[in-house]
Structures are given as structure tokens and as C-alpha cells.
Amino acid sequence: LVFERLLDHIVAELAGGDQKRITTAVVEVARDLQEFSGLNAKEIAQKLNEKLGNFRAVVKSLEDAISGCEENVPITGSLIRKARILEDQGFICPYTGAPLGYPDLLADRLEIEHIIPRSLRPSDALSSCVMTFRSVNDMKGQRTAMQFICEEQGRTVPGHGNIQVTTKKEYETYVAKHKKQYRYGTDDRRRCEKRAELMLMERYDQRNADFTERDLTQTSHLNKMAIRLVKQRVGVDARHLPGSVTAFIRQKLHIDE
């Protein structure tokens, strides 16, 4: 009901009450509203810059890496996610200690691996994942990262005769360093700390499960309701995007000006 009243107000003020003037609608998921509450424009800008620091740096690194490729690889949201995880890891496979790089990513030799199997902990957050070779992901299967290391340490990865699963001691040393592997701000620190916590968890008890980002962002259901309402009332294509993404787009397109 609140959104319906808001929609009526938007149509009246920005479209002169004529719904036919609206061709596309985007519902912005402003998860940061509470965090920004009470801040002035300068403070909000500083916090946004901090939040987007890692995102911008990774996009720049991707652009540089792609410029040296023969093929023109498009920079997609999925590619940026993978690159951010890869940079978090310090370009090292946590399960084997093997060096990883943008050439591996751009050649599609790497894939996202859920530290705690997604069937047990349904979260696709950056902090829930690492990047590794597809063969390592297949070898790990439905085991936690620590369980995989304990049971397979020292074994050769199928298809990679020169790569072995790291030892538990080496893995724990890597995780300790990873916990401090951040450069941009509070969000990045929390992400790395949460990832490190999951990496050391040998057993995951769903009865004592932690809150995941999925649980804390159940606004996805409200977003779908909002999208459905826009389609019903205005009859246009409607999509939803995270607030940080639309903020980045507005800045690049100078929309605020």
C-alpha cells in the first residue's frame, strides 16, 4: 500500500499523471538507507566512495587485463563478482596454494566455489565464496572447505598433475593472512573476516545456522511485489537493481548533474 501511494505520487509529479509517458521502471534496492540515516551529503559521499572503492579498483583492473587480450571480453556483473573474490584471495587458490590470475579468469578456467555447500548454507554473497579451478570444485563436492582440506590434503587434483590439495597447516596459515586481506574499508574488512570464519568451519550445523545475507535481505520478496505492481498499474517493463549499482551508474552518466 505504501509503494502504491508512492507510485501514484511519482506518476503525478514526474509524468504529469499520464502513465503512458512511462516506458521503463527500475526499482532501486536501497539497503543502505538505515546506514546513511542522519548523514549529510558530504558524509554520504565519503561512505559511498568507501563502499565502491573495491568495486571501482576491480573494474579498472579488469579493463587493463582485457585490453591485453586478443578477444574483446565484455565486463559483466558476474565477471566483476568473480574478479572481486579473486582479488580478495590475493590471486591464490586457497585449496591448493596455486597462483591464479586474470588470464585464468578471462579464459574461463576458474569458477565460483561455495565454502559451505550451498545446499547447507544458501548464500551467494562474496564472503561465502572463493575462486578455484573447476576440477578443484568438482573434487571438493558437497564438503565444507575445512573438511575437504582435512580429508584430501596432499592429494593430486585430477587433471592437474602438478597441483596438490594444500595441507591443513598451510591452509590455516593462508586463512589467517586472508582475514587481513582488505584495503578499502569496513565492508571489505567484514567480508574477508566472514570468509575466513567460514573457511575454518569443518562442520556446519543447520540447526545452529547463522543469518546469511539472504536472510537479512528478504526485501527481494518485496521487490518482486513492487515489480508486479508497476507492471499491473503502469504496464511497462520493470527491473530491480542494488542501490550501489545505480549510484555508480548515475555517477558515470552524470545524472545527478
Side-chain angles (χ1 to χ4, degrees):
L1 292 176
V2 172
F3 182 76
E4 189 170 11
R5 289 196 292 269
L6 175 62
L7 181 60
D8 289 339
H9 177 74
I10 291 173
V11 172
E13 182 173 331
L14 302 180
D18 185 2
Q19 294 183 353
K20 294 181 180 179
R21 294 178 60 187
I22 302 175
T23 58
T24 306
V26 176
V27 177
E28 180 173 321
V29 187
R31 295 188 299 173
D32 303 320
L33 277 178
Q34 184 176 4
E35 185 174 351
F36 293 155
S37 178
L39 302 183
N40 58 39
K42 183 178 180 179
E43 291 169 333
I44 291 176
Q46 291 175 339
K47 189 169 281 291
L48 277 175
N49 284 332
E50 177 185 303
K51 283 179 170 293
L52 292 172
N54 176 255
F55 178 87
R56 290 168 176 159
V58 168
V59 170
K60 178 62 168 61
S61 296
L62 275 173
E63 290 172 344
D64 293 341
I66 290 173
S67 66
C69 294
E70 295 183 2
E71 297 184 11
N72 185 22
V73 181
I75 297 180
T76 62
S78 174
L79 186 62
I80 294 173
R81 278 178 54 81
K82 293 176 180 178
R84 291 184 69 186
I85 297 172
L86 189 60
E87 291 215 358
D88 275 355
Q89 295 173 199
F91 297 95
I92 294 175
C93 172
Y95 301 144
T96 65
L100 306 176
Y102 277 122
D104 297 309
L105 178 62
L106 298 177
D108 198 30
R109 290 193 287 267
L110 306 178
E111 63 184 17
I112 289 179
E113 198 286 314
H114 289 77
I115 302 165
I116 305 296
R118 199 176 186 283
S119 58
L120 298 177
R121 187 176 183 273
S123 171
D124 294 316
L126 298 183
S127 60
S128 302
C129 305
V130 296
M131 295 297 298
T132 187
F133 294 111
R134 187 169 289 107
S135 52
V136 176
N137 194 0
D138 292 340
M139 185 179 182
K140 175 176 176 287
Q142 293 298 305
R143 291 178 282 186
T144 67
M146 180 58 87
Q147 183 182 6
F148 169 58
I149 296 297
C150 290
E151 295 177 356
E152 304 289 350
Q153 55 184 320
R155 294 189 181 180
T156 299
V157 176
H160 295 270
N162 60 335
I163 297 179
Q164 291 80 38
V165 177
T166 190
T167 66
K168 181 180 179 183
K169 182 177 180 180
E170 291 170 340
Y171 177 73
E172 290 174 338
T173 298
Y174 169 83
V175 174
K177 292 180 179 178
H178 172 78
K179 190 175 181 180
K180 302 176 182 178
Q181 183 75 25
Y182 60 89
R183 294 178 290 169
Y184 297 97
T186 303
D187 284 357
D188 302 299
R189 173 177 59 79
R190 289 173 180 168
R191 181 174 69 249
C192 289
E193 288 178 347
K194 184 60 180 179
R195 186 184 289 113
E197 177 187 333
L198 294 174
M199 292 174 77
L200 294 175
M201 194 177 296
E202 185 172 356
R203 302 292 176 184
Y204 186 77
D205 190 345
Q206 289 180 295
R207 293 173 299 179
N208 300 314
D210 60 334
F211 278 106
T212 66
E213 289 79 358
R214 176 184 177 183
D215 297 319
L216 298 174
T217 56
Q218 286 300 325
T219 50
S220 60
H221 178 63
L222 296 176
N223 296 337
K224 292 176 182 177
M225 291 176 63
I227 294 295
R228 186 163 63 246
L229 179 62
V230 170
K231 290 181 178 179
Q232 291 174 348
R233 293 287 301 277
V234 187
V236 298
D237 182 37
R239 305 176 185 277
H240 63 87
L241 290 172
S244 57
V245 173
T246 51
F248 183 76
I249 293 173
R250 284 198 302 271
Q251 182 188 43
K252 287 295 184 182
L253 297 180
H254 306 289
I255 291 177
D256 291 338
E257 298 177 6

